[in-house]
Amino acid sequence: MTDGTAATGGSAGRAAPLIDPFGRAISYVRVSVTDRCDFRCVYCMSEHMSFLPKAEILSLEELDRVCSTFVRLGTRRLRLTGGEPLVRRGIMTLIRSLGRHLRTGALDELTLTTNGSQLAKYAEELRAAGVRRVNVSLDTLDPDRFAAITRWGRLPQVLDGLAAAKAAGLEVKINAVALKGVNDGELDTLLSWCGREGFDLTLIEVMPLGDIDGDGGSNARVEQFLPLHAVRADLSRRWTLQEIDYRTGGPARYVRVAETGRRLGFITPMTHNFCESCNRVRLTCTGTLYMCLGQEDAADLRAALRASDDDAALEQAIRAAIARKPKGHDFIIDRRSGPAVTRHMSVTGG
Ligand code: SAM
Ligand code: SF4
């Protein structure tokens, strides 16, 4: 990315903020910067994925323009995700460039969700660019189970990445998908390990996104689905879980684990409706804006981006999309229905 690009799309000239039809201010954008990944997690991707051709994918400059336009329209937090954001070529150029909005105070936070495989390489650079926190997805500390879940991933690589993140001064939160019969026997171990490492932990319910096993996606996920209210009840037999009023602006609800002093979060899209406080939208790497993770309706920002170098059309397309943001989602896991929405999590980003 050239210096010229970094100078455009600045946060100067702040416009009227984005408010959806239900009065929710949209201040958080998650951006999937690639649909590719170096892992093939069983709940996320099939083993043989076909990825998008390059022409469909927003360039780094285009991603910068969209993100910067959102910042001008009141976005305070940007989270880069994927696919695996750190396997996108040139990703640090984009992250360094977006860091300018932190320095001007237009943006409160620039962060990412990563599988950790590239953190050993990038942790220092991320910190230098202004990133302060990262979410790292890690479902198990057992090397064989890790290889089974991620198919292509290797645990030591991720543990090295986590050590590098800590050494660089990045705050780490671990995201673990709770999977029945897979890692549910290991949650105590994960909780105490996070306590020792100084990491918060968030447990996520598996969501019915995309076909992962060729049967329409429902059966494997019915087997894997583990309601977190049951997990919480079970953990509370051995751990002191204290109610706290901590919110990150995301859907997680947190408790403090008295024994470790760390926070434990629960993301329960299946059993708890968190839509009423939703402040976010999601952009895919092709420039499609999803106003809700659980609904098909989307807006094409790429056409507006490519139609003109001026950001006015883009801004108008964003405003029109926000005016259509739905009230909430409607996930169902049952054996008769297929996935609630047909796209994979790696498309919209987690
Ligand atoms: N590759 C990065 C990572 O794994 O952190 C970022 C993208 S990944 C799609 C984001 C998050 O979505 C991860 O924490 C992953 O565990 C979660 N995820 C993927 N598929 C899911 C599903 N079907 N249900 C619930 N969480 C899912
Ligand atoms: Fe890749 Fe993240 Fe999906 Fe796993 S969850 S396959 S690491 S995008």
Side-chain angles (χ1 to χ4, degrees), residues 195-285:
R196 286 197 303 280
E197 293 289 328
F199 303 154
D200 288 344
L201 171 66
T202 297
L203 299 176
I204 308 174
E205 272 176 1
V206 71
M207 287 185 269
L209 298 171
D211 184 2
I212 44 159
D213 53 11
D215 71 346
S218 57
N219 282 332
R221 237 113 32 164
V222 173
E223 307 306 333
Q224 290 169 347
F225 180 63
L226 181 62
L228 287 186
H229 61 83
V231 171
R232 183 174 169 165
D234 179 54
L235 288 174
S236 66
R237 290 198 201 108
R238 294 173 303 284
W239 302 86
T240 315
L241 306 183
Q242 302 165 329
E243 295 285 345
I244 50 172
D245 203 19
Y246 176 76
R247 296 296 304 272
T248 58
R253 297 285 181 276
Y254 289 90
V255 294
R256 179 154 329 264
V257 183
E259 288 80 0
T260 66
R262 304 303 314 182
R263 283 183 286 255
L264 170 64
F266 299 91
I267 299 188
T268 56
M270 310 301 302
T271 53
H272 176 85
N273 195 314
F274 50 70
C275 304
E276 68 280 359
S277 58
C278 182
N279 62 353
R280 63 189 52 201
V281 289
R282 292 174 160 81
L283 182 77
T284 72
C285 57

Coordinates of all heavy atoms in Angstrom, one line a residue, residues 195-285:
G195 N -6.0 -19.4 33.6 CA -5.7 -18.6 34.8 C -4.2 -18.5 35.0 O -3.7 -17.4 35.3
R196 N -3.4 -19.6 34.8 CA -2.0 -19.5 35.0 C -1.3 -18.6 33.9 O -0.4 -17.9 34.2 CB -1.4 -20.9 34.8 CG -1.6 -21.8 36.0 CD -0.7 -23.0 36.0 NE -0.8 -23.8 34.8 CZ -1.7 -24.7 34.6 NH1 -2.7 -24.9 35.5 NH2 -1.7 -25.4 33.5
E197 N -1.9 -18.6 32.7 CA -1.3 -17.8 31.6 C -1.7 -16.3 31.7 O -1.1 -15.5 31.0 CB -1.7 -18.4 30.3 CG -1.1 -19.8 30.0 CD 0.4 -19.7 29.7 OE1 0.9 -18.7 29.1 OE2 1.1 -20.7 30.0
G198 N -2.7 -16.1 32.4 CA -3.3 -14.7 32.5 C -4.2 -14.4 31.3 O -4.2 -13.2 30.8
F199 N -4.9 -15.4 30.8 CA -5.8 -15.2 29.6 C -7.2 -15.3 30.1 O -7.5 -16.1 30.9 CB -5.6 -16.3 28.6 CG -4.2 -16.4 28.0 CD1 -3.7 -17.6 27.5 CD2 -3.3 -15.3 28.0 CE1 -2.5 -17.7 26.9 CE2 -2.0 -15.4 27.4 CZ -1.6 -16.7 26.9
D200 N -8.1 -14.4 29.6 CA -9.5 -14.7 29.7 C -9.9 -15.8 28.8 O -9.2 -16.1 27.8 CB -10.3 -13.4 29.4 CG -10.2 -12.3 30.5 OD1 -9.7 -12.7 31.6 OD2 -10.5 -11.2 30.3
L201 N -11.0 -16.4 29.1 CA -11.5 -17.5 28.2 C -13.0 -17.3 27.9 O -13.8 -16.9 28.7 CB -11.4 -18.8 29.0 CG -12.0 -20.1 28.4 CD1 -11.3 -20.5 27.1 CD2 -12.0 -21.3 29.4
T202 N -13.3 -17.4 26.6 CA -14.7 -17.4 26.2 C -15.1 -18.7 25.6 O -14.4 -19.2 24.7 CB -14.9 -16.2 25.2 OG1 -14.6 -15.0 25.9 CG2 -16.4 -16.2 24.8
L203 N -16.2 -19.3 26.0 CA -16.7 -20.5 25.5 C -17.8 -20.1 24.5 O -18.6 -19.2 24.7 CB -17.3 -21.4 26.5 CG -16.3 -21.8 27.6 CD1 -17.0 -22.6 28.7 CD2 -15.2 -22.7 27.0
I204 N -17.8 -20.8 23.3 CA -18.7 -20.5 22.3 C -19.6 -21.7 21.9 O -19.0 -22.8 21.8 CB -18.0 -20.1 21.0 CG1 -17.0 -19.0 21.2 CG2 -18.9 -19.7 19.9 CD1 -16.1 -18.6 20.0
E205 N -20.9 -21.5 21.8 CA -21.7 -22.6 21.3 C -21.5 -22.8 19.8 O -21.5 -21.8 19.1 CB -23.2 -22.3 21.6 CG -23.6 -22.8 23.0 CD -25.1 -22.3 23.3 OE1 -25.7 -21.7 22.4 OE2 -25.5 -22.6 24.4
V206 N -21.5 -24.0 19.4 CA -21.3 -24.3 18.0 C -22.6 -23.8 17.2 O -23.7 -24.0 17.7 CB -21.0 -25.8 17.7 CG1 -22.2 -26.7 17.9 CG2 -20.5 -26.0 16.3
M207 N -22.4 -23.1 16.1 CA -23.5 -22.5 15.4 C -23.7 -23.2 14.0 O -22.7 -23.7 13.4 CB -23.2 -21.0 15.1 CG -23.4 -20.2 16.3 SD -23.2 -18.5 15.9 CE -21.4 -18.2 16.2
P208 N -24.9 -23.3 13.6 CA -25.2 -24.0 12.3 C -24.9 -23.2 11.1 O -25.8 -22.8 10.4 CB -26.7 -24.3 12.4 CG -27.2 -23.1 13.2 CD -26.1 -22.7 14.2
L209 N -23.6 -22.9 10.8 CA -23.3 -22.1 9.7 C -22.5 -22.9 8.6 O -21.4 -23.4 8.9 CB -22.3 -21.0 10.1 CG -22.9 -20.0 11.1 CD1 -21.8 -19.1 11.6 CD2 -24.0 -19.2 10.5
G210 N -23.2 -23.0 7.5 CA -22.4 -23.7 6.4 C -22.4 -25.2 6.5 O -22.5 -25.8 7.5
D211 N -22.3 -25.8 5.3 CA -22.3 -27.3 5.2 C -20.9 -27.7 5.5 O -20.0 -27.4 4.7 CB -22.8 -27.7 3.8 CG -22.9 -29.2 3.7 OD1 -22.6 -29.9 4.7 OD2 -23.2 -29.6 2.6
I212 N -20.6 -28.5 6.5 CA -19.2 -28.9 6.8 C -19.0 -30.4 6.5 O -17.9 -30.8 6.5 CB -18.8 -28.7 8.3 CG1 -19.9 -29.1 9.2 CG2 -18.4 -27.2 8.5 CD1 -19.5 -29.4 10.6
D213 N -20.0 -31.2 6.4 CA -19.8 -32.6 6.3 C -20.6 -33.3 5.2 O -20.7 -34.5 5.1 CB -20.1 -33.3 7.6 CG -21.5 -32.9 8.1 OD1 -22.3 -32.4 7.3 OD2 -21.8 -33.2 9.3
G214 N -21.1 -32.4 4.3 CA -21.7 -33.0 3.1 C -23.1 -33.5 3.3 O -23.7 -34.0 2.3
D215 N -23.7 -33.4 4.5 CA -25.0 -34.0 4.7 C -26.0 -32.8 4.9 O -27.1 -33.1 5.4 CB -25.1 -34.9 5.9 CG -24.9 -34.1 7.2 OD1 -24.5 -32.9 7.1 OD2 -25.2 -34.7 8.3
G216 N -25.6 -31.6 4.5 CA -26.5 -30.5 4.7 C -26.1 -29.8 6.0 O -26.6 -28.7 6.3
G217 N -25.2 -30.4 6.7 CA -24.6 -29.6 7.9 C -25.2 -29.8 9.2 O -24.7 -29.5 10.2
S218 N -26.4 -30.5 9.2 CA -27.1 -30.5 10.5 C -26.7 -31.6 11.4 O -26.6 -31.4 12.6 CB -28.6 -30.5 10.2 OG -28.9 -31.6 9.4
N219 N -26.5 -32.8 10.9 CA -26.4 -33.9 11.8 C -25.1 -33.8 12.7 O -25.2 -34.0 13.9 CB -26.3 -35.2 11.0 CG -27.8 -35.6 10.6 OD1 -28.7 -35.3 11.3 ND2 -27.9 -36.3 9.5
A220 N -24.0 -33.5 12.1 CA -22.8 -33.5 12.9 C -22.9 -32.4 14.0 O -22.5 -32.6 15.1 CB -21.6 -33.1 12.0
R221 N -23.6 -31.3 13.6 CA -23.7 -30.2 14.6 C -24.7 -30.5 15.7 O -24.6 -30.1 16.8 CB -24.0 -28.9 13.9 CG -22.9 -27.9 14.3 CD -22.1 -27.5 13.2 NE -22.7 -27.4 11.9 CZ -22.2 -26.8 10.9 NH1 -21.1 -26.1 11.0 NH2 -22.7 -26.9 9.7
V222 N -25.7 -31.4 15.4 CA -26.6 -31.8 16.4 C -25.8 -32.6 17.4 O -25.9 -32.4 18.7 CB -27.8 -32.6 15.9 CG1 -28.6 -33.2 17.0 CG2 -28.6 -31.8 14.9
E223 N -24.9 -33.5 16.9 CA -24.1 -34.3 17.8 C -23.2 -33.4 18.6 O -22.9 -33.7 19.8 CB -23.3 -35.3 17.0 CG -24.0 -36.2 16.0 CD -25.2 -36.9 16.7 OE1 -25.1 -37.2 17.9 OE2 -26.2 -37.2 16.0
Q224 N -22.6 -32.3 18.0 CA -21.6 -31.5 18.7 C -22.2 -30.5 19.6 O -21.5 -30.0 20.5 CB -20.8 -30.8 17.6 CG -19.9 -31.6 16.8 CD -19.3 -30.9 15.6 OE1 -19.7 -29.8 15.3 NE2 -18.3 -31.4 15.0
F225 N -23.5 -30.2 19.4 CA -24.0 -29.1 20.2 C -24.1 -29.3 21.7 O -24.6 -30.3 22.1 CB -25.4 -28.7 19.6 CG -26.1 -27.6 20.4 CD1 -25.5 -26.3 20.3 CD2 -27.2 -27.8 21.1 CE1 -26.1 -25.2 21.0 CE2 -27.8 -26.7 21.8 CZ -27.2 -25.4 21.7
L226 N -23.5 -28.4 22.4 CA -23.4 -28.5 23.9 C -23.9 -27.2 24.4 O -23.3 -26.1 24.3 CB -22.0 -28.7 24.2 CG -21.6 -28.9 25.7 CD1 -22.2 -30.1 26.3 CD2 -20.0 -29.0 25.8
P227 N -25.1 -27.2 25.0 CA -25.7 -25.9 25.5 C -24.8 -25.3 26.7 O -24.5 -26.1 27.6 CB -27.1 -26.2 26.0 CG -27.1 -27.7 26.1 CD -26.0 -28.3 25.3
L228 N -24.5 -24.1 26.6 CA -23.5 -23.5 27.6 C -24.2 -23.3 29.0 O -23.5 -23.3 29.9 CB -22.9 -22.2 27.1 CG -21.9 -22.4 25.9 CD1 -21.3 -21.0 25.6 CD2 -20.8 -23.4 26.3
H229 N -25.5 -23.3 29.0 CA -26.1 -23.2 30.4 C -25.8 -24.4 31.2 O -25.5 -24.4 32.4 CB -27.6 -22.9 30.3 CG -28.4 -23.9 29.6 ND1 -28.8 -25.0 30.3 CD2 -28.8 -24.0 28.4 CE1 -29.5 -25.8 29.4 NE2 -29.5 -25.2 28.3
A230 N -25.7 -25.6 30.5 CA -25.4 -26.8 31.2 C -23.9 -26.8 31.5 O -23.5 -27.3 32.6 CB -25.7 -28.0 30.3
V231 N -23.0 -26.3 30.6 CA -21.6 -26.2 30.9 C -21.4 -25.3 32.1 O -20.6 -25.7 33.1 CB -20.8 -25.6 29.7 CG1 -19.4 -25.3 30.1 CG2 -20.9 -26.6 28.5
R232 N -22.1 -24.2 32.1 CA -21.9 -23.2 33.3 C -22.3 -23.9 34.6 O -21.6 -23.8 35.6 CB -22.7 -22.0 33.0 CG -22.5 -20.9 34.0 CD -23.2 -19.7 33.7 NE -23.2 -18.8 34.9 CZ -23.5 -17.5 34.8 NH1 -23.8 -16.9 33.7 NH2 -23.5 -16.8 35.9
A233 N -23.5 -24.6 34.6 CA -23.9 -25.2 35.8 C -22.9 -26.2 36.3 O -22.6 -26.3 37.5 CB -25.3 -25.9 35.5
D234 N -22.3 -27.0 35.3 CA -21.4 -28.0 35.7 C -20.1 -27.4 36.3 O -19.6 -27.8 37.3 CB -21.0 -28.9 34.5 CG -20.0 -29.9 34.8 OD1 -20.2 -30.7 35.7 OD2 -18.9 -30.0 34.1
L235 N -19.6 -26.3 35.6 CA -18.4 -25.6 36.1 C -18.6 -25.1 37.5 O -17.7 -25.1 38.3 CB -17.9 -24.5 35.1 CG -17.4 -25.0 33.7 CD1 -17.1 -23.8 32.8 CD2 -16.0 -25.8 33.9
S236 N -19.8 -24.6 37.7 CA -20.0 -23.9 39.0 C -20.0 -24.8 40.2 O -20.0 -24.4 41.3 CB -21.3 -23.1 38.9 OG -22.4 -23.9 38.8
R237 N -20.0 -26.1 39.9 CA -19.8 -27.1 41.0 C -18.4 -27.1 41.5 O -18.1 -27.5 42.6 CB -20.2 -28.5 40.5 CG -21.6 -28.7 40.2 CD -22.1 -30.1 40.2 NE -23.3 -30.2 39.5 CZ -23.4 -30.6 38.2 NH1 -22.5 -31.2 37.6 NH2 -24.6 -30.5 37.6
R238 N -17.5 -26.7 40.6 CA -16.1 -26.8 41.0 C -15.4 -25.4 41.1 O -14.3 -25.3 41.6 CB -15.3 -27.7 40.1 CG -15.7 -29.2 40.2 CD -15.1 -30.0 39.1 NE -15.3 -29.6 37.7 CZ -16.4 -29.8 37.1 NH1 -17.4 -30.4 37.6 NH2 -16.6 -29.3 35.8
W239 N -16.0 -24.4 40.5 CA -15.4 -23.1 40.4 C -16.4 -22.1 41.0 O -17.6 -22.2 40.8 CB -15.0 -22.7 39.0 CG -14.1 -23.7 38.3 CD1 -14.5 -24.8 37.6 CD2 -12.7 -23.6 38.2 NE1 -13.4 -25.5 37.1 CE2 -12.2 -24.8 37.5 CE3 -11.7 -22.7 38.7 CZ2 -10.9 -25.0 37.2 CZ3 -10.4 -23.0 38.4 CH2 -10.0 -24.1 37.7
T240 N -15.8 -21.0 41.6 CA -16.7 -20.0 42.1 C -16.9 -18.9 40.9 O -15.9 -18.2 40.6 CB -16.1 -19.3 43.3 OG1 -15.6 -20.3 44.1 CG2 -17.1 -18.4 44.0
L241 N -18.0 -18.9 40.3 CA -18.3 -18.1 39.2 C -19.1 -16.8 39.7 O -20.2 -17.0 40.0 CB -19.0 -18.8 38.1 CG -18.4 -20.1 37.6 CD1 -19.3 -20.7 36.4 CD2 -17.0 -19.9 37.1
Q242 N -18.4 -15.7 39.7 CA -19.0 -14.5 40.3 C -19.6 -13.6 39.1 O -18.9 -13.3 38.2 CB -18.0 -13.7 41.1 CG -17.4 -14.5 42.2 CD -16.1 -13.9 42.7 OE1 -15.4 -13.2 42.0 NE2 -15.9 -14.1 44.0
E243 N -20.8 -13.2 39.3 CA -21.5 -12.3 38.3 C -20.7 -11.0 38.3 O -20.4 -10.5 39.3 CB -22.9 -12.0 38.7 CG -23.9 -13.2 38.7 CD -24.3 -13.6 37.3 OE1 -24.1 -12.8 36.4 OE2 -24.8 -14.7 37.2
I244 N -20.4 -10.6 37.1 CA -19.8 -9.2 36.9 C -20.5 -8.5 35.8 O -21.1 -9.1 35.0 CB -18.2 -9.3 36.6 CG1 -18.0 -10.3 35.4 CG2 -17.4 -9.7 37.9 CD1 -16.5 -10.2 35.0
D245 N -20.3 -7.2 35.8 CA -21.0 -6.3 34.9 C -20.1 -6.0 33.7 O -20.3 -4.9 33.1 CB -21.4 -5.1 35.6 CG -22.6 -4.4 34.9 OD1 -23.3 -5.1 34.2 OD2 -22.8 -3.2 35.1
Y246 N -19.2 -6.9 33.3 CA -18.3 -6.6 32.3 C -18.9 -6.9 30.9 O -19.4 -7.9 30.7 CB -17.0 -7.4 32.5 CG -16.0 -7.3 31.4 CD1 -15.1 -6.2 31.4 CD2 -15.8 -8.3 30.5 CE1 -14.2 -6.1 30.4 CE2 -14.8 -8.2 29.5 CZ -14.0 -7.1 29.5 OH -13.0 -7.0 28.5
R247 N -18.8 -5.9 30.0 CA -19.3 -6.1 28.6 C -18.2 -5.6 27.7 O -17.6 -4.6 27.9 CB -20.6 -5.4 28.3 CG -21.8 -5.8 29.1 CD -22.2 -7.3 28.8 NE -22.4 -7.5 27.4 CZ -23.6 -7.3 26.8 NH1 -24.6 -6.9 27.6 NH2 -23.8 -7.5 25.6
T248 N -18.0 -6.3 26.5 CA -17.0 -5.8 25.6 C -17.7 -5.2 24.4 O -17.0 -4.8 23.4 CB -16.1 -6.9 25.1 OG1 -17.0 -7.9 24.5 CG2 -15.3 -7.6 26.2
G249 N -19.0 -5.0 24.4 CA -19.7 -4.6 23.2 C -20.1 -5.7 22.3 O -20.7 -5.6 21.3
G250 N -19.6 -6.9 22.7 CA -19.9 -8.1 21.9 C -21.0 -8.9 22.6 O -21.6 -8.5 23.6
P251 N -21.3 -10.1 22.1 CA -22.4 -10.9 22.6 C -22.1 -11.7 23.9 O -23.0 -12.3 24.5 CB -22.8 -11.8 21.5 CG -21.5 -11.9 20.7 CD -20.8 -10.7 20.9
A252 N -20.8 -11.7 24.3 CA -20.5 -12.6 25.4 C -21.0 -12.0 26.7 O -21.0 -10.8 26.9 CB -18.9 -12.7 25.5
R253 N -21.4 -12.9 27.6 CA -21.7 -12.6 29.0 C -20.6 -13.1 29.9 O -20.2 -14.3 29.6 CB -23.0 -13.2 29.4 CG -24.2 -12.7 28.6 CD -24.6 -11.3 29.0 NE -25.8 -10.9 28.3 CZ -25.8 -10.3 27.1 NH1 -24.7 -10.2 26.4 NH2 -26.9 -9.9 26.5
Y254 N -20.1 -12.3 30.8 CA -18.9 -12.8 31.6 C -19.2 -13.0 33.0 O -20.0 -12.3 33.6 CB -17.8 -11.7 31.4 CG -17.2 -11.6 30.1 CD1 -17.7 -10.8 29.1 CD2 -16.1 -12.4 29.7 CE1 -17.2 -10.7 27.8 CE2 -15.5 -12.3 28.5 CZ -16.1 -11.5 27.5 OH -15.5 -11.5 26.3
V255 N -18.4 -13.9 33.6 CA -18.3 -14.0 35.0 C -16.8 -14.0 35.4 O -16.0 -14.1 34.5 CB -18.9 -15.4 35.5 CG1 -20.4 -15.5 35.3 CG2 -18.2 -16.6 34.9
R256 N -16.6 -13.7 36.7 CA -15.2 -13.8 37.2 C -15.0 -15.2 37.8 O -15.9 -15.6 38.6 CB -14.8 -12.7 38.1 CG -13.4 -12.8 38.6 CD -12.7 -11.6 39.0 NE -13.0 -10.3 38.3 CZ -12.3 -9.8 37.3 NH1 -11.3 -10.5 36.7 NH2 -12.7 -8.6 36.8
V257 N -13.9 -15.8 37.5 CA -13.6 -17.1 38.2 C -12.8 -16.8 39.4 O -11.6 -16.3 39.3 CB -12.8 -18.0 37.2 CG1 -12.6 -19.4 37.9 CG2 -13.6 -18.2 35.9
A258 N -13.3 -16.9 40.6 CA -12.7 -16.4 41.8 C -11.3 -17.1 42.0 O -10.3 -16.5 42.4 CB -13.5 -16.7 43.0
E259 N -11.2 -18.4 41.7 CA -10.0 -19.1 41.9 C -8.8 -18.7 41.0 O -7.7 -18.8 41.4 CB -10.2 -20.6 41.7 CG -11.1 -21.3 42.7 CD -12.6 -21.1 42.5 OE1 -13.0 -20.4 41.6 OE2 -13.4 -21.6 43.4
T260 N -9.1 -18.2 39.8 CA -8.0 -17.7 38.9 C -8.0 -16.2 38.8 O -7.0 -15.7 38.3 CB -8.3 -18.3 37.5 OG1 -9.4 -17.7 36.9 CG2 -8.4 -19.8 37.5
G261 N -9.0 -15.6 39.1 CA -9.1 -14.1 39.0 C -9.4 -13.7 37.6 O -9.4 -12.5 37.3
R262 N -9.5 -14.6 36.6 CA -9.7 -14.3 35.2 C -11.2 -14.3 34.9 O -12.0 -14.9 35.6 CB -9.0 -15.2 34.3 CG -7.5 -15.4 34.5 CD -6.7 -14.1 34.4 NE -7.1 -13.3 33.2 CZ -6.5 -12.1 32.9 NH1 -5.5 -11.7 33.7 NH2 -6.9 -11.4 31.9
R263 N -11.5 -13.7 33.8 CA -12.9 -13.7 33.3 C -13.2 -14.9 32.5 O -12.3 -15.4 31.7 CB -13.2 -12.5 32.4 CG -13.4 -11.2 33.3 CD -13.8 -10.0 32.4 NE -12.6 -9.6 31.6 CZ -11.9 -8.4 31.9 NH1 -12.3 -7.7 32.9 NH2 -10.9 -8.1 31.2
L264 N -14.4 -15.4 32.6 CA -14.9 -16.5 31.7 C -16.2 -16.0 31.0 O -17.1 -15.5 31.7 CB -15.2 -17.7 32.6 CG -16.0 -18.9 31.9 CD1 -15.1 -19.5 30.9 CD2 -16.4 -19.9 33.0
G265 N -16.2 -16.1 29.7 CA -17.3 -15.6 28.9 C -18.1 -16.7 28.3 O -17.5 -17.8 28.1
F266 N -19.3 -16.4 28.0 CA -20.2 -17.4 27.4 C -20.8 -16.7 26.2 O -21.5 -15.7 26.3 CB -21.3 -17.9 28.3 CG -20.7 -18.6 29.5 CD1 -20.5 -17.9 30.7 CD2 -20.5 -20.0 29.5 CE1 -20.0 -18.5 31.8 CE2 -20.0 -20.6 30.7 CZ -19.7 -19.9 31.8
I267 N -20.7 -17.3 25.0 CA -21.4 -16.8 23.8 C -22.4 -17.9 23.4 O -22.0 -19.0 23.0 CB -20.4 -16.5 22.6 CG1 -19.4 -15.4 23.1 CG2 -21.2 -16.0 21.4 CD1 -18.6 -14.9 21.9
T268 N -23.7 -17.5 23.6 CA -24.7 -18.5 23.5 C -25.8 -18.1 22.4 O -26.9 -17.8 22.8 CB -25.4 -18.7 24.8 OG1 -25.9 -17.4 25.3 CG2 -24.5 -19.2 25.9
P269 N -25.4 -18.0 21.2 CA -26.3 -17.6 20.2 C -27.5 -18.5 20.1 O -28.6 -18.1 19.7 CB -25.5 -17.6 18.9 CG -24.4 -18.5 19.2 CD -24.1 -18.4 20.6
M270 N -27.4 -19.8 20.5 CA -28.4 -20.8 20.3 C -29.5 -20.7 21.4 O -30.6 -21.0 21.2 CB -27.9 -22.2 20.3 CG -26.7 -22.4 19.4 SD -27.2 -22.0 17.7 CE -28.5 -23.1 17.5
T271 N -29.0 -20.3 22.6 CA -29.9 -20.4 23.7 C -30.2 -19.1 24.4 O -31.1 -19.0 25.2 CB -29.3 -21.3 24.8 OG1 -28.0 -20.8 25.1 CG2 -29.2 -22.7 24.4
H272 N -29.6 -18.0 23.9 CA -29.8 -16.7 24.5 C -29.9 -15.7 23.4 O -28.9 -15.6 22.6 CB -28.7 -16.4 25.5 CG -28.9 -15.0 26.1 ND1 -29.6 -14.8 27.2 CD2 -28.3 -13.8 25.7 CE1 -29.6 -13.5 27.5 NE2 -28.8 -12.9 26.6
N273 N -30.9 -14.9 23.4 CA -31.0 -14.0 22.3 C -30.3 -12.7 22.7 O -30.8 -12.0 23.6 CB -32.5 -13.7 22.0 CG -32.6 -13.0 20.7 OD1 -31.9 -12.1 20.4 ND2 -33.5 -13.5 19.8
F274 N -29.2 -12.3 22.0 CA -28.5 -11.1 22.4 C -28.6 -10.0 21.4 O -27.9 -9.0 21.4 CB -27.0 -11.4 22.6 CG -26.4 -12.2 21.4 CD1 -26.2 -11.5 20.2 CD2 -26.0 -13.5 21.5 CE1 -25.6 -12.2 19.1 CE2 -25.5 -14.2 20.4 CZ -25.3 -13.5 19.2
C275 N -29.6 -10.2 20.5 CA -29.7 -9.2 19.4 C -30.1 -7.8 19.8 O -29.7 -6.9 19.1 CB -30.7 -9.8 18.4 SG -30.4 -11.4 17.8
E276 N -30.8 -7.7 21.0 CA -31.3 -6.4 21.3 C -30.2 -5.4 21.5 O -30.4 -4.2 21.3 CB -32.2 -6.5 22.6 CG -31.6 -6.8 23.9 CD -31.3 -8.3 24.1 OE1 -31.6 -9.1 23.2 OE2 -30.7 -8.7 25.1
S277 N -29.0 -5.8 21.9 CA -27.9 -4.9 22.1 C -26.9 -4.9 21.0 O -25.7 -4.5 21.2 CB -27.2 -5.2 23.5 OG -26.8 -6.5 23.4
C278 N -27.3 -5.5 19.9 CA -26.3 -5.7 18.8 C -25.8 -4.3 18.2 O -26.6 -3.5 17.8 CB -26.9 -6.5 17.7 SG -25.8 -6.8 16.3
N279 N -24.5 -4.1 18.2 CA -24.0 -2.8 17.7 C -23.1 -3.1 16.5 O -22.3 -2.2 16.2 CB -23.2 -2.2 18.8 CG -22.0 -3.0 19.3 OD1 -21.8 -4.2 18.8 ND2 -21.1 -2.5 20.1
R280 N -23.2 -4.2 15.9 CA -22.2 -4.6 14.9 C -22.7 -5.0 13.5 O -23.9 -5.4 13.4 CB -21.4 -5.8 15.4 CG -22.3 -7.0 15.6 CD -21.6 -8.1 16.4 NE -21.0 -7.6 17.6 CZ -20.0 -8.2 18.2 NH1 -19.5 -9.3 17.8 NH2 -19.5 -7.7 19.3
V281 N -21.8 -4.9 12.6 CA -22.1 -5.5 11.3 C -20.8 -6.2 10.8 O -19.8 -6.0 11.4 CB -22.5 -4.4 10.2 CG1 -23.8 -3.8 10.5 CG2 -21.4 -3.3 10.2
R282 N -21.0 -7.0 9.8 CA -19.8 -7.8 9.3 C -19.6 -7.6 7.8 O -20.5 -7.7 7.1 CB -20.1 -9.3 9.6 CG -20.1 -9.7 11.0 CD -20.6 -11.1 11.2 NE -20.2 -11.6 12.5 CZ -20.8 -11.4 13.6 NH1 -22.0 -10.7 13.6 NH2 -20.4 -11.9 14.8
L283 N -18.4 -7.4 7.5 CA -18.0 -7.3 6.1 C -17.2 -8.5 5.7 O -16.2 -8.9 6.3 CB -17.1 -6.0 6.0 CG -16.7 -5.7 4.5 CD1 -17.8 -5.0 3.8 CD2 -15.5 -4.7 4.6
T284 N -17.5 -9.1 4.5 CA -16.7 -10.2 4.0 C -15.6 -9.6 3.2 O -15.6 -8.5 2.8 CB -17.6 -11.1 3.1 OG1 -17.8 -10.4 1.9 CG2 -18.9 -11.5 3.8
C285 N -14.7 -10.5 2.8 CA -13.5 -10.1 2.0 C -13.9 -9.8 0.6 O -13.1 -9.2 -0.1 CB -12.4 -11.2 2.1 SG -13.0 -12.8 1.5

